[in-house]
Amino acid sequence: MNKNLLPIFTAALLAACAPTAKAPVATTPAPPAETVATPAAPTWSQQADAFLKSYSAEYQRLYTASAEAEWRSNTHIVAGDTANAGATARANERMAAFTGSVQNIQRLRELLEHKAELSDLQVKQLQTALYNAANSPQTIADVVKARIKAETQQTEKLYGFDYKYQGKSVTTNDLDELLRRETNPLKRQQIWEASKAIGPTLKVGLLNLRDLRNQTVQALGYPDYFSYQASDYGMSREEMMTLVRKINEELRPLYRELHTYARYELAKKYKQKQVPDYLPASWLPNRWGQDWSAMVDVKGLNLDPVLAKKGAEWQVQQAERFYQSLGFPALPPVFYEKSSLYPLPKGAAYKKNNHASAWHMDLQNDVRSLMSVEGNTEWYETTHHELGHIYYYLTYTNPDVPVLLRGGANRAYHEAMGSLMGLAATQKPFLAGLGLVDPNAKTDQTQTLLKEALNYAVFIPFASGVMSEWENSFYADKLPADQLNARWWELAKQYQGIVPPAGRGEQYLDPATKTHINDDPAQYYDYALSYVILFQLHDHISKNILKQDPHATNYYGSKEVGAFLADIMRPGASKDWRTVLKEKTGEDLSARAMVEYFQPLMAYLKQQNKGRKYTM
């Protein structure tokens, strides 16, 4: 690899050498000597351009190689086979050696010292490159190499784990399905405990990763890894925690009603005479209590039987048709050729990561999704969500957005786009338009809103509360190894009003059962902020563009909605995220729209909870 990516420009000084011997005296006057002009030294702006052109080309090449290796590691996991892990580690090491090279760091700092003479776009690219460097500074190359190796090994442990229930191997999809359907509390506890069995196998690796991640970013002056991740928003750790706590406070009254409602309804469902003060984690239809929407079936809106008949492939193609109806292009052929969209066949000789994700493989048009789509409502919504990411990638892949800035306006925007489309695709007028529900079927608006609240509103205390507070403690406060599980359950009780069904001592590591704690660390607040942004965007679209009730919209076929979304997507990370939000919606980040959306539900919940004991 050519480490001297930018030749240092120096002006060549041209000097004529005078002869030592005396020349004969001329009888005619000599013509005047030609003046040789000294080339002007390149300006700082020209130097920045030259550096960024060279840097971006190498960055894109290495990024693509790394993405290909990661893709293989996530889609083809063979027990005992370390070939993929080795190839991924090597690709990531090469990427790290480049982005964190001492020469690049020095040059980036030098150019940024002259930012007054650079364009905003140049400054943003240079700052992004320096941010990337902090994740792999070659001033501590051994630490970076150790971190990359540890991350690869942790991923393999995470997705190669053999979950067992009643003596049989099961997938996480199987466990999720059982938690949605089982009504026997004892069996539910066994299913829930089976889903947490992976935790202890990840403890040593996670503690090691904490030290390696913190050391890596400390080399470029960040106090800890959580602070580093928050800085991507242009915020300090304290500012980020203040923001997520504010969002929690704004939604607390609604969550308190939902929590009380859930305790009494689930006690009834599981035939328990005693209503517990706090929700046993195993009572909820989700492994982390982050989504309770499966508690409610809305009559006339139960999509599962219809989607089961249509099958998994139809869901992916239908999601693409939705985006096309808004004016977005068809997906490039590579999406269908190279994505891994469906569960592996029974008895496959390898495993894959079942967690849905979208990939921008080359920062150009090679876009892929990793899913395990089945014909049900959850995957229907997830498919629309993942294609939101894919279309965001394709929209900011344009000549006006440099390679280094091909990302969301901030990380939360990417999630907001996906979740917005998931919400839009599940509203009744939209579903009726597709023939998935009978437009004349009587549906209970309150029950629909309750189901949505049990998804979106319930998620906030988990994402911005439990996850963000735990990772903040873990990275910034160096949470002791003998308090990891205790802190997790302390936060679950405080924010979610959830307790474990039985004692969970430090021999367990329940936070590590959440994939993001291992392989997408210290940024789960992205998802919480994305829900807030999603409701702000939806509020604007429904009221100002579609002129429809936000609870009953149909985006399908609206080119105006498509243009509004494309305008947000097109600049990628080249515009400040706060500016984008203010320009497009007229307001700053706030849970106002989300609180307002669920306001009609509050009267119903208060009525249901009359005479019930509140514990939050």
Side-chain angles (χ1 to χ4, degrees):
M1 184 187 308
N2 174 14
K3 295 197 176 182
N4 286 320
L5 287 165
L6 179 77
I8 304 300
F9 293 96
T10 52
L13 297 171
L14 303 170
C17 291
T20 49
K22 279 197 174 178
V25 179
T27 54
T28 54
E34 278 186 37
T35 309
V36 179
T38 304
T43 64
W44 284 106
S45 179
Q46 288 167 334
Q47 290 185 54
D49 263 350
F51 174 81
L52 285 167
K53 186 180 177 186
S54 176
Y55 178 98
S56 298
E58 184 66 356
Y59 176 85
Q60 188 171 11
R61 186 184 75 77
L62 292 165
Y63 173 97
T64 305
S66 177
E68 287 285 6
E70 289 281 3
W71 177 261
R72 183 86 178 152
S73 277
N74 278 270
T75 56
H76 199 97
I77 302 164
V78 180
D81 182 358
T82 58
N84 281 345
T88 300
R90 286 190 297 276
N92 288 343
E93 281 164 18
R94 285 191 285 271
M95 181 72 172
F98 171 71
T99 55
S101 85
V102 177
Q103 296 95 319
N104 279 339
I105 291 170
Q106 285 171 347
R107 189 62 175 147
L108 287 163
R109 283 175 162 165
E110 183 185 12
L111 290 165
L112 282 166
E113 277 169 16
H114 299 273
K115 64 179 173 192
E117 297 162 62
L118 307 178
S119 71
D120 289 347
L121 199 61
Q122 287 175 324
V123 170
K124 207 154 176 59
Q125 288 176 83
L126 294 167
Q127 286 172 338
T128 300
L130 195 57
Y131 176 82
N132 292 341
N135 207 20
S136 47
Q138 294 307 291
T139 46
I140 49 162
D142 290 350
V143 175
V144 174
K145 195 170 179 179
R147 192 206 77 225
I148 290 165
K149 187 180 176 188
E151 283 175 338
T152 308
Q153 287 170 342
Q154 193 81 340
T155 298
E156 294 222 313
K157 273 189 196 154
L158 193 60
Y159 301 122
F161 188 75
D162 187 16
Y163 291 88
K164 290 272 204 293
Y165 175 60
Q166 294 184 333
K168 290 187 189 142
S169 290
V170 288
T171 66
T172 49
N173 271 8
D174 296 333
L175 292 169
D176 291 340
E177 186 62 24
L178 287 165
L179 283 175
R180 282 194 289 269
R181 306 244 178 267
E182 183 57 64
T183 56
N184 178 316
L186 194 61
K187 283 186 182 168
R188 291 192 65 84
Q189 185 174 331
Q190 290 166 352
I191 297 159
W192 183 87
E193 285 171 352
S195 80
K196 302 294 168 190
I198 188 174
T201 67
L202 298 166
K203 186 168 186 175
V204 173
L206 188 62
L207 286 165
N208 181 37
L209 277 171
R210 174 190 41 202
D211 293 342
L212 293 170
R213 284 167 177 158
N214 274 346
Q215 285 173 46
T216 300
V217 298
Q218 281 161 355
L220 253 72
Y222 294 93
D224 59 83
Y225 195 76
F226 197 97
S227 298
Y228 167 70
Q229 291 285 46
S231 75
D232 196 33
Y233 283 75
M235 298 170 87
S236 69
R237 178 174 69 88
E238 292 78 8
E239 286 169 337
M240 180 57 77
M241 293 311 296
T242 300
L243 179 62
V244 294
R245 285 167 189 155
K246 172 177 162 274
I247 289 165
N248 258 307
E249 282 307 307
E250 288 174 330
L251 283 158
R252 186 79 169 183
L254 173 60
Y255 186 78
R256 187 169 173 262
E257 297 295 337
L258 291 167
H259 180 264
T260 307
Y261 173 83
R263 281 170 35 239
Y264 281 82
E265 293 301 313
L266 290 174
K268 204 188 303 173
K269 182 177 179 178
Y270 303 141
K271 301 182 172 55
Q272 302 296 297
K273 291 195 178 77
Q274 189 68 37
V275 177
D277 284 353
Y278 294 93
L279 279 163
S282 56
W283 279 24
L284 295 161
N286 171 276
R287 285 177 272 163
W288 302 280
Q290 69 180 60
D291 175 3
W292 310 350
S293 58
M295 279 176 60
V296 176
D297 276 330
V298 182
K299 285 190 176 60
L301 273 185
N302 181 9
L303 299 178
D304 282 353
V306 187
L307 293 172
K309 281 198 194 106
K310 289 195 175 283
E313 288 185 19
W314 178 88
Q315 288 187 175
V316 179
Q317 290 158 1
Q318 179 49 44
E320 180 186 14
R321 283 192 287 272
F322 172 32
Y323 287 92
Q324 286 181 277
S325 84
L326 300 177
F328 289 98
L331 290 168
V334 69
F335 176 81
Y336 287 105
E337 287 160 13
K338 294 195 172 178
S339 288
S340 175
L341 298 171
Y342 310 106
L344 295 175
K346 293 279 183 217
Y350 60 95
K351 291 180 183 286
K352 71 180 225 185
N353 173 0
N354 285 318
H355 190 84
S357 53
W359 300 56
H360 198 186
M361 300 299 295
D362 59 353
L363 300 173
Q364 288 289 122
N365 293 315
D366 183 349
V367 289
R368 302 178 201 173
S369 184
L370 171 54
M371 295 193 276
S372 290
V373 182
E374 298 186 82
N376 61 41
T377 311
E378 189 169 334
W379 277 110
Y380 167 83
E381 191 177 335
T382 300
T383 304
H384 283 79
H385 177 110
E386 295 308 328
L387 287 199
H389 290 297
I390 297 291
Y391 275 104
Y392 206 160
Y393 298 149
L394 292 170
T395 308
Y396 58 57
T397 298
N398 67 66
D400 294 333
V401 180
V403 161
L404 284 172
L405 301 179
R406 289 184 182 172
N410 64 28
R411 292 189 307 254
Y413 269 74
H414 244 297
E415 294 306 324
M417 284 297 172
S419 299
L420 174 67
M421 302 317 250
L423 173 71
T426 51
Q427 293 209 319
K428 188 185 171 185
F430 182 101
L431 295 168
L434 285 183
L436 293 176
V437 299
D438 178 355
N440 301 315
K442 289 264 186 289
T443 50
D444 188 325
Q445 182 61 53
T446 303
Q447 287 299 296
T448 303
L449 207 50
L450 176 60
K451 190 175 180 73
E452 288 175 343
L454 291 171
N455 175 357
Y456 294 103
V458 156
F459 180 74
I460 298 291
F462 174 72
S464 65
V466 182
M467 285 287 284
S468 298
E469 295 281 5
W470 191 86
E471 290 196 288
N472 181 41
S473 292
F474 187 62
Y475 288 101
D477 304 333
K478 282 294 291 256
L479 185 62
D482 62 355
Q483 291 172 33
L484 304 182
N485 227 36
R487 177 69 176 145
W488 178 260
W489 287 109
E490 175 196 342
L491 290 165
K493 189 175 183 181
Q494 177 189 340
Y495 282 96
Q496 294 178 286
I498 293 175
V499 291
R504 302 293 289 177
E506 291 302 322
Q507 71 271 37
Y508 302 106
L509 187 58
D510 296 322
T513 67
K514 185 72 181 162
T515 172
H516 304 74
I517 295 276
N518 301 279
D519 59 7
D520 205 6
Q523 53 182 341
Y524 205 77
Y525 47 79
D526 291 356
Y527 297 97
L529 299 179
S530 80
Y531 276 11
V532 173
I533 293 168
L534 128 71
F535 278 96
Q536 287 183 270
L537 296 178
H538 179 68
D539 187 71
H540 181 85
I541 288 168
S542 48
K543 290 176 181 171
N544 301 322
I545 300 177
L546 296 173
K547 311 279 193 270
Q548 294 170 358
D549 174 1
H551 307 99
T553 61
N554 189 357
Y555 289 20
Y556 210 95
S558 170
K559 297 290 190 282
E560 202 180 338
V561 170
F564 171 79
L565 295 173
D567 281 351
I568 294 172
M569 294 174 170
R570 199 173 294 105
S574 65
K575 274 179 90 168
D576 184 270
W577 67 271
R578 299 168 189 83
T579 309
V580 172
L581 192 65
K582 187 83 177 200
E583 280 178 1
K584 299 310 288 183
T585 68
E587 63 179 351
D588 296 318
L589 186 79
S590 152
R592 178 213 52 86
M594 194 172 181
V595 170
E596 199 177 288
Y597 184 89
F598 290 111
Q599 201 53 45
L601 186 63
M602 285 294 275
Y604 168 81
L605 287 171
K606 282 182 171 157
Q607 182 61 38
Q608 294 294 306
N609 290 334
K610 219 173 192 171
R612 290 174 172 178
K613 180 184 177 187
Y614 287 83
T615 52
M616 284 199 76

